[in-house]
Amino acid sequence: MEDLLLLHGTIVTVDKERRIIEDGALAISGDRIVDIGTAEELAPCHAGKKVIDCRGKMIIPGLIDAHGHAGHALIRSIAADTNSLWMRVVTPTYYHYVTRDFWYADGLVSGLERLRAGVTTGASVITSMPRADDPVFAINHARAYTELGLREIVCVGPSGLPWPHPVTRWESGKPERRNIAFEEMIEGSEAVIEAVNGSADGRISVFLTPFTIVPSVEPSNASTPDQAINLTDGDRMQVRRVRETARKWGVRIHSDAFAGQIRMAFQDKENALLGPDIHLQHCWGISHEEMDILAETGTHVTHAPPGRSTPVLEMMARGISLAITSDGASPSRHFDMLQTARLFQSTQHILHNHDRYLLPPGKVFEMITIDAARVLGMEREIGSLEVGKKADIAIIDMRKPHLMPNWMPVHRLIHQVLGSDVDTVIVDGKVLMEAGKVLTTDVDAALDFGQQEALALADRAGLHAHMHDPGWGKLQRTFAEPVKPPQAPDC
């Protein structure tokens, strides 16, 4: 690994002073940033380093996606037009039709999408509802990110109810149906932690991730007060075992939460999945009481726009740390965090608050860099460009018509820059992509493999009924032919 000197770029540091350095320079030794300043100051001091000319470019911290879903990259658009069916389609698909090769292929495709968009750290929940019965699924996903050179948080844990949970495995090439008990999911999660947590020179982490913090109520939407009343024995068992396992291995916890669940979880003061070692995704429709609980416990929150009814500004006003996430790439999303941030800002401005001063571009950019690092407990290592931090960097080519004129760089980032404008990506001081060319894998081969595995999955699951492309003139036929979710195979 060569030491590097980035010269003559505009540096958006996101450091404590939020400095923007014109005609800047940044020096890297090993995996760390060792110097930042102007090109005039640094060039004479780092003569032995390999120079990357950044004229006409912007140098920013590597972007961070603190919540996404593995598997999404290879089922994109399926059931996109039938929102109420989507979870009923994809959950059985993930639990009964995926193979170990599918997860490696998805890791390559999703990792490449993130890499090319300047996302240097990404969380990946293994399926929509976490699946931990076969540790190789998560291990293969991490293997792909390791090969690409990215930083990944692999999220594994127990599924939602019912337990035991039916799954189908394909190691023999034929479907083999099993029922997996809660403790087997914990054991599978521990196997993933043991195998990959801290691997790839520390770039791969594992978070323990139950599907939701209270499994007995609605798992994907808000629960009304008459539904979310008292914790059940199953709720208390899950939270106790998750806490015990996280303490045993020294890992952080991540989960989904919706209205009613936070108030219920707080009933178990000893074990509640609330606190500074946890970040919760969504938090749709939560009450003022629940916001107070999040603030009191120091729990972090992550939000994917448009986010229905997440009280973003109310939480931020209480001092709750909050970051923007992709929530994955399916059915109609992407891993481009700059476009995701733009959607967040516009929905907050236009749909919710009608006030453009509440979330200026600088704050929005923080929510995909240093704020995202904070919710992951990684703010001392990544999320800003500062001496001593990891050299995780994205370099953006600003010499493009849609990015002119070259001024107000933070506004350019949030209002106009696309992931496809990223020119060069560095992680741990290693150049992974340069001048738009990925250096760590054969991109065409990876995409071919991903296409192959996606088609094989569709064949196994019978998903072709969900793959109509209505185009024009076919809408009536599509809507007139309702389709059923895939069923578990007969074994």
Side-chain angles (χ1 to χ4, degrees), residues 266-286:
F266 200 51
Q267 293 171 11
D268 185 348
K269 299 292 194 301
E270 182 180 356
N271 296 306
L273 298 187
L274 302 166
D277 61 335
I278 293 171
H279 72 287
L280 301 178
Q281 176 74 9
H282 299 306
C283 294
W284 295 343
I286 64 173

Side-chain angles (χ1 to χ4, degrees), residues 1-3 28-31 427-431:
M1 182 190 303
E2 292 183 277
D3 290 348
I28 299 168
S29 183
D31 63 350
V427 175
D428 258 359
K430 180 181 179 182
V431 179

Side-chain angles (χ1 to χ4, degrees), residues 166-183:
V167 305
T168 303
R169 304 263 280 270
W170 294 79
E171 291 94 322
S172 67
K174 297 179 180 180
E176 299 175 5
R177 183 71 172 268
R178 304 180 187 183
N179 288 309
I180 303 298
F182 178 88
E183 283 298 329

Side-chain angles (χ1 to χ4, degrees), residues 97-104 137 140 170 453 457 460:
Y97 297 102
V98 294
T99 64
R100 293 173 169 181
D101 283 347
F102 171 90
W103 293 107
Y104 176 60
F137 293 169
N140 275 357
W170 294 79
E453 288 301 314
L457 172 71
R460 285 191 299 272

Side-chain angles (χ1 to χ4, degrees), residues 35-48:
D35 209 354
I36 301 175
T38 66
E40 183 180 13
E41 292 168 341
L42 265 63
C45 304
H46 300 278

Side-chain angles (χ1 to χ4, degrees), residues 68-216:
H69 287 273
H72 277 199
L74 297 188
I75 63 163
R76 229 184 299 246
S77 294
I78 288 175
D81 302 313
T82 50
N83 190 55
S84 61
L85 266 182
W86 190 77
M87 281 291 283
R88 291 171 56 198
V89 170
V90 301
T91 299
T93 297
Y94 286 138
Y95 268 78
H96 296 291
Y97 297 102
V98 294
T99 64
R100 293 173 169 181
D101 283 347
F102 171 90
W103 293 107
Y104 176 60
D106 178 83
L108 289 173
V109 173
S110 66
L112 281 168
E113 183 179 355
R114 280 171 159 162
L115 169 58
R116 299 187 77 155
V119 180
T120 55
T121 299
S124 302
V125 182
I126 301 299
T127 93
S128 292
M129 178 193 296
R131 184 169 174 185
D133 56 285
D134 186 348
V136 178
F137 293 169
I139 292 167
N140 275 357
H141 208 268
R143 176 163 66 96
Y145 274 70
T146 297
E147 291 171 3
L148 291 170
L150 291 168
R151 214 174 288 284
E152 183 180 37
I153 297 105
V154 181
C155 300
V156 291
S159 70
L161 290 168
W163 305 317
H165 204 289
V167 305
T168 303
R169 304 263 280 270
W170 294 79
E171 291 94 322
S172 67
K174 297 179 180 180
E176 299 175 5
R177 183 71 172 268
R178 304 180 187 183
N179 288 309
I180 303 298
F182 178 88
E183 283 298 329
E184 292 177 275
M185 299 179 205
I186 293 291
E187 290 168 7
S189 301
E190 291 188 279
V192 175
I193 295 169
E194 186 172 23
V196 300
N197 189 43
S199 65
D201 296 321
R203 292 194 310 275
I204 305 298
S205 305
V206 180
F207 284 12
L208 194 57
T209 304
F211 184 33
T212 61
I213 61 173
V214 178
S216 65

